[in-house]
């Protein structure tokens, strides 16, 4: 059976792509953010995952407001990266892990999740930037399965439903007939609001409480409705639902899940940036 080795969570602000492109990592504005990543790069170098299952939210690139799936799972042999308007350089295509995609899709549908399957899927900054932060030199040495969770247009899935989805994904990975090592990535958050009267809103207290909860009581955030989460984290802060899905996927490993690294820095652009790594075993 496949080995679920751990989970990672990272913010995905487009400006990070610009900073990498311009080589600004050591500048005072960026240094506290980029300083979080070398321990993650080291961890990945030791753990050597073969496959990354990526919970992320598309931002109008692959799904626009006219057709908005709540949950969509990639089932493509290749995922091309494109930029939906931030002006950041794109990365070469990512190779898909087709066998795991279909295994996940079959498992999720059998568990009554009405997902959209995507045999073609463009991926945006949310899918690609964490991979670039994890493997800054060259291409990421993993195949991927992107799973899109709508946090862009209401109605959003509840935290409770997202936790259930994550748990089902974890069960499917653990039951995948393969000798590959799989890590789960959550891309998004933490608190931020890009528009409206509360543009610039950040909630450090809630972010830190949420990060702690993923260690001590992973289901804590399922008590909140989508609107509660918007109120507490901002209209785009609800991206933290990806973190909940990732942690739920790891819950199949029970008490063997240990948090091994974290970073939190405010702000990059309009966002409170968070980074966490969980190891199984
Ligand atoms: C920003 C944050 C995001 O999550 C995103 O998708 C786009 C922009 C920002 O803070 O600039
Ligand atoms: Fe985003």
């Amino acid at each position: 059976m496949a080995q679920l080795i751990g989970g990672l969570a990272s913010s995905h602000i487009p400006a990070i792509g610009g900073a990498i492109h311009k080589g600004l990592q050591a500048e005072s504005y960026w240094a506290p953010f980029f300083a979080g990543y070398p321990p993650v790069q080291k961890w990945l170098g030791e753990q050597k995952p073969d496959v990354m299952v990526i919970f992320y939210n598309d931002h109008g690139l692959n799904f626009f407001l006219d057709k908005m799936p709540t949950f969509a799972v990639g089932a493509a042999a290749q995922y091309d990266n494109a930029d939906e308007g931030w002006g950041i350089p794109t990365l070469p295509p990512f190779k898909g892990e087709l066998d795991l995609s279909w295994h996940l899709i079959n498992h999720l549908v059998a568990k009554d999740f009405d997902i959209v399957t995507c045999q073609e899927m463009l991926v945006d900054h949310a899918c690609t930037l964490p991979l670039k932060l994890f493997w800054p030199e060259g291409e990421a040495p993993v195949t991927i399965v992107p799973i899109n969770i709508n946090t862009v247009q209401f109605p959003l899935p509840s935290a409770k439903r997202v936790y259930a989805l994550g748990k089902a994904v974890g069960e499917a990975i653990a039951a995948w007939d393969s000798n590959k090592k799989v890590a789960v990535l959550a891309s998004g958050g933490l608190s931020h609001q890009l528009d409206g009267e509360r543009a610039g809103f950040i909630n450090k207290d809630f972010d830190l409480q949420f990060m702690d909860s993923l260690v001590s009581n992973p289901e804590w955030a399922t008590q909140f409705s989508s609107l509660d989460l918007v109120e507490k984290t901002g209209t785009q802060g609800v991206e933290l639902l990806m973190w909940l899905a990732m942690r739920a996927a790891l819950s199949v490993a029970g008490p063997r899940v240990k948090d091994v690294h974290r970073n939190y820095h405010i702000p990059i652009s309009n966002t409170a940036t968070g980074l966490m790594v969980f190891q199984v075993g």
Side-chain angles (χ1 to χ4, degrees):
M1 287 301 140
Q3 197 189 339
L4 178 58
I5 63 165
L8 307 100
S10 168
S11 303
H12 65 218
I13 303 140
I16 299 163
I20 293 171
H21 184 60
K22 294 181 200 134
L24 304 180
Q25 292 90 331
E27 291 212 341
S28 58
Y29 178 81
W30 288 102
F33 169 77
F34 280 101
Y37 287 85
V40 183
Q41 294 156 8
K42 182 166 176 286
W43 185 82
L44 286 164
E46 289 161 4
Q47 298 287 325
K48 296 189 178 28
D50 302 299
V51 185
M52 198 75 97
V53 173
I54 305 175
F55 290 109
Y56 84 109
N57 60 295
D58 181 86
H59 296 74
L61 172 73
N62 194 76
F63 306 110
F64 200 60
L65 304 181
D66 58 337
K67 297 182 193 70
M68 185 57 66
T70 302
F71 300 130
V73 181
Q78 175 176 306
Y79 299 93
D80 290 345
N81 176 210
D83 171 36
E84 72 278 16
W86 299 99
I88 53 175
T90 55
L91 299 177
F94 293 85
K95 199 165 171 284
E97 187 68 38
L98 259 184
D99 189 55
L100 178 57
S101 283
W102 286 110
H103 171 75
L104 276 169
I105 288 163
N106 282 317
H107 184 86
L108 291 173
V109 173
K111 292 279 172 179
D112 299 329
F113 288 93
D114 303 319
I115 52 171
V116 173
T117 60
C118 302
Q119 298 190 55
E120 283 185 16
M121 194 170 180
L122 288 175
V123 291
D124 72 9
H125 68 275
C127 197
T128 61
L129 282 179
L131 297 176
K132 192 67 195 159
L133 288 161
F134 297 164
W135 288 283
E137 309 297 336
E139 293 178 21
V142 285
T143 51
I144 66 169
V145 179
I147 302 179
N148 180 73
I149 300 177
N150 170 34
T151 54
V152 169
Q153 177 169 256
F154 273 79
L156 310 184
S158 69
K160 200 169 157 217
R161 185 67 175 154
V162 166
Y163 193 93
L165 175 84
K167 194 156 176 268
V169 166
E171 285 161 7
I173 294 170
W176 182 38
D177 186 10
S178 164
N179 57 9
K180 293 189 175 169
K181 292 189 193 175
V182 183
V184 183
L185 165 62
S187 173
L190 288 172
S191 59
H192 63 300
Q193 171 141 349
L194 302 181
D195 41 28
E197 282 175 17
R198 293 202 310 167
F201 175 78
I202 276 174
N203 188 345
K204 181 176 177 181
D205 288 345
F206 185 85
D207 287 341
L208 297 181
Q209 200 175 3
F210 174 66
M211 288 169 90
D212 286 342
S213 78
L214 295 181
V215 180
S216 58
N217 179 13
E219 291 184 51
W220 175 77
T222 62
Q223 69 184 288
F224 299 112
S225 70
S226 307
L227 283 175
D228 286 340
L229 288 175
V230 168
E231 192 186 350
K232 288 178 190 305
T233 70
T235 41
Q236 281 74 35
V238 283
E239 289 176 352
L240 57 70
L241 288 174
M242 314 304 153
W243 293 47
L244 197 58
M246 175 276 290
R247 184 62 187 84
L250 300 189
S251 70
V252 296
R256 291 188 296 130
V257 180
K258 309 268 181 293
D259 63 316
V260 292
H261 178 66
R262 74 167 81 180
N263 191 44
Y264 183 80
H265 173 67
I266 298 174
I268 291 295
S269 185
N270 292 293
T271 300
T273 65
L275 174 66
M276 276 185 105
V277 181
F278 294 90
Q279 182 172 323
V280 172

